[in-house]
């Protein structure tokens, strides 16, 4: 049976489980989820949540700590609303500073003037979030979730605007499953993002998978992800690598498929 490498980009210790909280048919609670990750040998979690999970934020962190799981990232609102304040207060109580993953406009914007306005609006919106994150030692990750905000050149423009305003704790999170349009120019897109790249989330990839009902498929079942992974390795980038649940099935079953597929691809 294929094994994951002992060290490096695709080693088990560098893997981050993502989209396994609301996307889990078993509806695991904090303790069950932490036990699952420990069984799988996955030592990092990026925490996605919904409103019903807010009362268990502290229990989530406690369970992760009991089972030796690092809280690498936390999905974060694009405004300092009550939910954002609850997250920040929880992290402050536990003295943790994970990456905070934020997304904005998911709509396309072909008009250059309106795009420039949206980029400036994003800078204004994200500035206070960067300030709040900075006070606790966290970095804000701009998450590509389609639309104008998901384009690397646009994200870099937002990052440049934030840094010009004094916010240095900002970077980008790149998701394969939201990047089917980048299959032909992934090398160029990666070069744009690489100085700012905080994390990469993997996915099985086929051309036009987002249009053919194959947007999210296990690693090793597509015909493009190996090439993208080879480009990622050759770039010299090193950082956390996510494996995703993101389907309405048992999250442990889905993560096992990701680990098995990655083990076949990694060599």
């Amino acid at each position: 049976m294929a094994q994951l490498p002992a060290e490096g980009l695709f080693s088990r210790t560098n893997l981050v489980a993502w989209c396994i909280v609301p996307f889990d048919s078993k509806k695991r609670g904090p303790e069950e989820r932490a036990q699952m990750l420990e069984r799988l040998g996955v030592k990092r979690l990026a925490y996605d949540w919904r409103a019903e999970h807010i009362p268990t934020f502290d229990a989530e962190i406690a369970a992760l700590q009991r089972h030796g799981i690092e809280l690498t990232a936390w999905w974060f609102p694009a405004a300092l609303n009550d939910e954002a304040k609850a997250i920040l207060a929880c992290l402050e109580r536990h003295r943790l500073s994970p990456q905070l993953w934020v997304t904005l406009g998911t709509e396309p914007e072909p008009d250059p003037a309106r795009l420039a306005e949206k980029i400036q609006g994003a800078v204004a919106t994200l500035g206070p979030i960067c300030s709040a994150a900075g006070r606790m030692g966290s970095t804000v990750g701009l998450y590509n979730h389609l639309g104008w905000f998901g384009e690397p050149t646009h994200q870099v423009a937002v990052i440049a605007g934030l840094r010009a305003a004094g916010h240095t704790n900002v970077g980008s999170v790149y998701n394969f499953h939201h990047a089917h349009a980048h299959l032909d120019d992934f090398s160029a897109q990666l070069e744009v993002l690489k100085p700012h790249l905080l994390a990469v989330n993997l996915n099985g990839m086929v051309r036009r998978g987002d249009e053919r009902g194959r947007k999210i498929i296990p690693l090793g079942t597509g015909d493009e992800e190996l090439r993208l992974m080879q480009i990622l390795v050759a770039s010299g980038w090193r950082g956390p690598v996510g494996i995703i649940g993101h389907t309405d099935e048992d999250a442990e079953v889905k993560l096992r498929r990701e680990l098995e597929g990655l083990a076949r691809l990694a060599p």
Side-chain angles (χ1 to χ4, degrees), residues 109-120 148 154:
E109 184 48 80
D111 182 80
R114 290 169 64 181
L115 175 61
E117 291 176 0
K118 289 184 176 182
I119 288 172
Q120 288 306 309
W148 70 267
H154 302 164

Side-chain angles (χ1 to χ4, degrees), residues 117-159:
E117 291 176 0
K118 289 184 176 182
I119 288 172
Q120 288 306 309
V123 172
T125 295
L126 295 169
I129 295 174
C130 289
S131 294
R135 286 192 289 272
M136 50 185 281
S138 282
T139 301
V140 174
L142 310 188
Y143 185 97
N144 68 318
H145 198 289
L146 304 175
W148 70 267
F149 191 74
E151 291 299 316
T153 53
H154 302 164
Q155 288 203 347
V156 170
V158 173
I159 291 169

Side-chain angles (χ1 to χ4, degrees), residues 97-110:
S97 52
Q99 297 175 11
L100 304 180
W101 291 357
V102 183
T103 197
L104 281 170
T106 58
E107 74 285 354
E109 184 48 80

